[in-house]
Amino acid sequence: MVRGRKLNGSSIIETIVAVLILLLSFAAGISLYSQVMLSTYSDVKLRASLEQGFVADSLISAGVFEDQVLQRGELHFELGYKPVERYPGLLLMQLQCYDLSGTKLSELRRMIRRDDGQ
């Protein structure tokens, strides 16, 4: 046995402090990750937005300019048109998308040029 030599190593206090710092950084990382995941666009909202664009393009190309309610799968669309006062040849298309429970998923507004015959 060697006397007078000090062994190098860490004490239990230093180890506990290191573990606490590690746990705090993991907790901060998990909190940040959950906030990012909650604030991102959900899959349902993204699908609703894509379907909404498709519905709007289809109605415009078909020349349908009347208020109506559409059901497409699990999505419910409410469509309305308003004339633009300052520009008589334009319509404001408002298309809102809801899920089956009535939660609003997205809204789309487009200016549409109306032909003189309509």
Side-chain angles (χ1 to χ4, degrees):
M1 194 191 242
V2 179
R3 291 184 182 233
R5 272 185 129 187
K6 190 172 183 179
L7 296 174
N8 291 332
S10 61
S11 68
I12 189 76
I13 303 267
E14 291 171 337
T15 305
I16 290 174
V17 168
V19 168
L20 283 175
I21 291 172
L22 185 64
L23 287 175
L24 287 175
S25 46
F26 276 136
I30 288 172
S31 173
L32 183 63
Y33 176 75
S34 66
Q35 286 178 355
V36 166
M37 291 306 292
L38 289 175
S39 67
T40 57
Y41 222 50
S42 74
D43 184 44
V44 174
K45 287 185 178 181
L46 181 60
R47 198 178 109 240
S49 178
L50 292 173
E51 288 280 335
Q52 192 173 32
F54 175 73
V55 167
D57 291 340
S58 299
L59 291 170
I60 292 169
S61 65
V64 177
F65 300 119
E66 55 192 40
D67 296 353
Q68 53 185 301
V69 176
L70 303 169
Q71 186 75 28
R72 192 170 159 93
E74 299 175 359
L75 301 175
H76 174 80
F77 297 97
E78 292 181 5
L79 175 66
Y81 292 95
K82 291 183 188 176
V84 179
E85 292 178 15
R86 296 181 79 185
Y87 304 102
L90 291 180
L91 289 174
L92 175 64
M93 171 194 259
Q94 294 180 312
L95 181 61
Q96 290 140 357
C97 181
Y98 299 91
D99 63 5
L100 294 177
S101 66
T103 304
K104 188 175 186 179
L105 299 174
S106 63
E107 183 174 0
L108 176 77
R109 292 181 180 185
R110 284 193 185 168
M111 299 295 280
I112 301 168
R113 187 174 58 189
R114 177 174 46 179
D115 292 337
D116 291 338
Q118 297 178 351

